[in-house]
Amino acid sequence: MTETASRPTVSQAPTAPEPRARRFRSELGYLLSGLPLGLAAFTVAVTGAALGVSTLVVWVGLPILAGTLRAARSLANRERRRVTAVTGRPMPSRHPLPSGTGWAGTLRAVRDPRPWRDLVHPVVAFPLQVTTFSVALTWTLGGIGELLYATWSWSLPRGDGNQGLAELVFDTSSRAADIGFNTAIGVFLLATAVPVVRALAGLQTRLAVALLTDDRAA
């Protein structure tokens, strides 16, 4: 009688999900840092492209465009690293631009279609970055400010012509109603901050993935 030794099946433990607080901080940091970084990338992309295209007729624009595309490639790779950090899904960097010397190498770099997508991204993404930055900052800091309204509302001017939000909505001058109403707004903003920030970060990262994904990258 032959006994067949059965090898126990080893089940891999599921990867522990990222703590909610850490993920929220990561997404909020991604949104808040997106505006200054996006402004720098937008300035480089628009200025370089406009200068390069406008001077193509005298051939000066060709090296300017090539340099702008290389800068756009570097900025796009930085955005890929940011998206990888916030989503946990890697976005490989693009292959280097075609190399070469002289006008032939510069022309090959400009004719490569991939860096043009890197150049388009900051132009398209900048309006969204302004919006997500403003909403995320207002939602979180505004929520904290409203939650602590009772501690600083004394500094607001009172009297004729200086109506609070509760007085405008409910037509009451009660200080208790004013504090309660604003505190409730703060509770609502902070209670919904996690899904709102996650949705905003999702919009911004999906745009980056759509424009900056390089299927040919290693």
Side-chain angles (χ1 to χ4, degrees):
M1 180 176 179
T2 304
E3 294 184 0
T4 304
S6 60
R7 185 173 298 176
T9 303
V10 179
S11 59
Q12 294 182 348
T15 304
E18 186 178 4
R20 188 177 184 183
R22 183 185 302 172
R23 181 176 178 180
F24 174 75
R25 290 195 300 269
S26 176
E27 292 169 338
L28 183 61
Y30 172 74
L31 294 174
L32 297 183
S33 62
L35 181 59
L37 295 176
L39 177 60
F42 177 85
T43 303
V44 170
V46 172
T47 304
L51 184 60
V53 170
S54 63
T55 54
L56 272 177
V57 67
V58 292
W59 292 98
V60 179
L62 196 60
I64 292 177
L65 279 179
T68 301
L69 292 176
R70 293 185 186 280
R73 170 63 55 89
S74 177
L75 293 170
N77 283 336
R78 182 188 61 189
E79 182 63 20
R80 291 184 188 92
R81 291 191 294 268
R82 283 172 20 90
V83 171
T84 296
V86 76
T87 63
R89 296 186 293 272
M91 285 186 66
S93 298
R94 293 198 197 277
H95 289 309
L97 291 177
S99 59
T101 59
W103 288 104
T106 302
L107 185 60
R108 280 196 298 271
V110 172
R111 291 177 61 184
D112 188 345
R114 291 173 294 168
W116 287 97
R117 294 176 65 185
D118 295 337
L119 187 67
V120 168
H121 173 260
V123 179
V124 175
F126 184 62
L128 179 61
Q129 290 167 335
V130 172
T131 303
T132 55
F133 173 91
S134 302
V135 174
L137 185 66
T138 302
W139 213 276
T140 51
L141 292 187
I144 295 174
E146 287 291 83
L147 188 65
L148 301 177
Y149 181 77
T151 65
W152 56 269
S153 61
W154 59 268
S155 62
L156 297 176
R158 305 288 177 177
D160 296 338
N162 295 309
Q163 295 177 310
L165 186 58
E167 188 172 356
L168 292 173
V169 175
F170 302 109
D171 193 24
T172 176
S173 58
S174 170
R175 179 165 172 78
D178 180 52
I179 292 176
F181 180 67
N182 284 277
T183 302
I185 292 177
V187 171
F188 170 78
L189 291 177
L190 293 181
T192 57
V194 170
V196 168
V197 167
R198 183 163 302 168
L200 295 173
L203 285 174
Q204 198 161 307
T205 55
R206 280 195 292 271
L207 178 61
V209 169
L211 288 176
L212 302 179
T213 297
D214 188 357
D215 296 332
R216 291 178 288 181

